[in-house]
Amino acid sequence: MTHVEDELNSQPECWARVAAEAGEHAGALPARGERVALVGCGTSYFMAQAAAALREGAGQGETDAFAASEFPRGRAYDHVVALTRSGTTTEVLELLGALRGRTRTTAITADPDTPVTATAEDVVVLGFADEKSVVQTRFATTALTLLRAHVGRHTEAAAADARTALEAPLPEGLVGATQFTFLGRGWTVGLAHEAALKMREAALAWSEAYPAMEYRHGPISVTTRSTATWMLGEAPEGLAEQVRATGAEWVAGGLDPLAELVRAQRLAVAVAAARGLDPDRPRHLTRSVILDSNDL
């Protein structure tokens, strides 16, 4: 079993643990009514997108999400939360350093012995969800579960559905698709982007992601008999029928959307295996992106 498989299989237990411990971290996380920005890079950015939509949708306050490198320095926030598994990502550290003394910051990380713990004002360490793999799975979803629980949007059904996602077979023939499109609505748009990223990272697969209502505004033109379209969350009325009419496979997201992401992670590993690839050694990638001054 690869590191990726081992780690993605442990997600239900990680989610249950972090949800139970969420109250212990409440003081480090945004309070109701604060104007908040969540930032990250790669997978962490997509989790930030999902968490921002969840928080604002829960009536907790205005919440934005940015790639750390694209944070609008001239905009005022009460609290900035950075997601960083490694705690060493250059863009995150540079942003937190720039905000020190003028904006409250919190870092959610997996490693207490990294530079981010000295850069952010508050730190939440999810060491039990750390990973050996380059390709992120359980840390990202555990961090999102923490933020989901913090705003009252986590239920035990998520972990139960994740177990179903790990046990049930993937749709027949899906591994052989030539292109994969993931769709979301609201907070699940971030999950769709993350699902597509997993396919690119682990399996070198042609994959895309869109807000579901945008799919008919162009992207559906590449949908054909050898492609698959996967919905994370509830689909817009009529979209499944339109996709099936192209001859493509439609995958309905019947589980909790975060559990659907687990299914997509499994698909990425399965496609990698079918193509003779090792998902623990993704092409051109490292566990953390650390830049020198000439790269900024």
Side-chain angles (χ1 to χ4, degrees):
M1 183 177 291
T2 63
H3 292 315
V4 174
E5 289 174 285
D6 181 57
E7 289 156 2
L8 73 84
N9 285 333
S10 69
Q11 288 175 107
E13 292 72 31
C14 288
W15 299 358
R17 176 172 173 175
V18 82
E21 296 176 356
E24 300 173 17
H25 303 299
L29 299 175
R32 178 185 290 272
E34 286 187 317
R35 189 167 189 247
V36 173
L38 293 107
V39 300
C41 298
T43 288
S44 293
Y45 170 44
F46 298 140
M47 295 299 100
Q49 287 182 324
L54 275 170
R55 182 177 187 271
E56 192 158 312
Q60 295 280 315
E62 184 177 345
T63 316
D64 296 321
F66 302 100
S69 59
E70 296 298 320
F71 182 82
R73 302 292 181 91
R75 193 177 297 180
Y77 289 96
D78 300 311
H79 202 153
V80 173
V81 179
L83 306 181
T84 170
R85 176 181 65 172
S86 70
T88 59
T89 303
T90 298
E91 297 100 301
V92 171
L93 294 176
E94 195 272 337
L95 174 61
L96 292 176
L99 294 175
R100 178 180 285 278
R102 61 186 182 92
T103 303
R104 186 183 178 193
T105 59
T106 295
I108 301 175
T109 187
D111 190 344
D113 300 316
T114 53
V116 77
T117 60
T119 309
E121 181 176 340
D122 291 294
V123 180
V124 175
V125 179
L126 305 178
F128 61 88
D130 201 358
E131 298 162 322
K132 295 180 180 178
S133 60
V134 173
V135 175
Q136 281 201 59
T137 54
R138 73 182 179 194
F139 173 76
T141 60
T142 301
L144 179 56
T145 298
L146 170 64
L147 294 168
R148 193 179 179 189
H150 180 63
V151 299
R153 291 298 176 93
H154 171 76
T155 69
E156 293 183 1
D161 278 1
R163 294 185 183 94
T164 299
L166 291 168
E167 295 166 1
L170 294 170
E172 187 175 352
L174 196 59
V175 170
T178 60
Q179 189 265 353
F180 303 87
T181 299
F182 296 91
L183 305 177
R185 303 184 81 178
W187 74 281
T188 72
V189 173
L191 302 186
H193 284 300
E194 172 58 10
L197 180 63
K198 289 285 94 65
M199 296 300 300
R200 291 191 290 271
E201 290 178 330
L204 304 183
W206 175 17
S207 56
E208 301 177 341
Y210 303 96
M213 291 296 288
E214 287 295 303
Y215 190 54
R216 290 174 281 211
H217 292 270
I220 197 171
S221 63
V222 300
T223 306
T224 186
R225 293 185 182 278
S226 63
T227 66
T229 302
W230 191 321
M231 183 72 213
L232 285 81
E234 185 177 353
E237 185 175 354
L239 184 57
E241 292 74 18
Q242 286 180 277
V243 171
R244 291 191 183 105
T246 70
E249 179 158 4
W250 170 263
V251 183
L255 301 174
D256 180 274
L258 199 55
E260 284 295 323
L261 178 58
V262 174
R263 291 180 74 203
Q265 293 168 346
R266 286 184 58 211
L267 174 63
V269 171
V271 173
R275 297 181 178 186
L277 301 171
D278 182 354
D280 281 341
R281 292 176 173 81
R283 189 170 67 182
H284 310 317
L285 297 180
T286 57
R287 190 172 185 275
S288 175
V289 176
I290 301 174
L291 307 173
D292 61 37
S293 58
N294 293 326
D295 297 317
L296 294 174

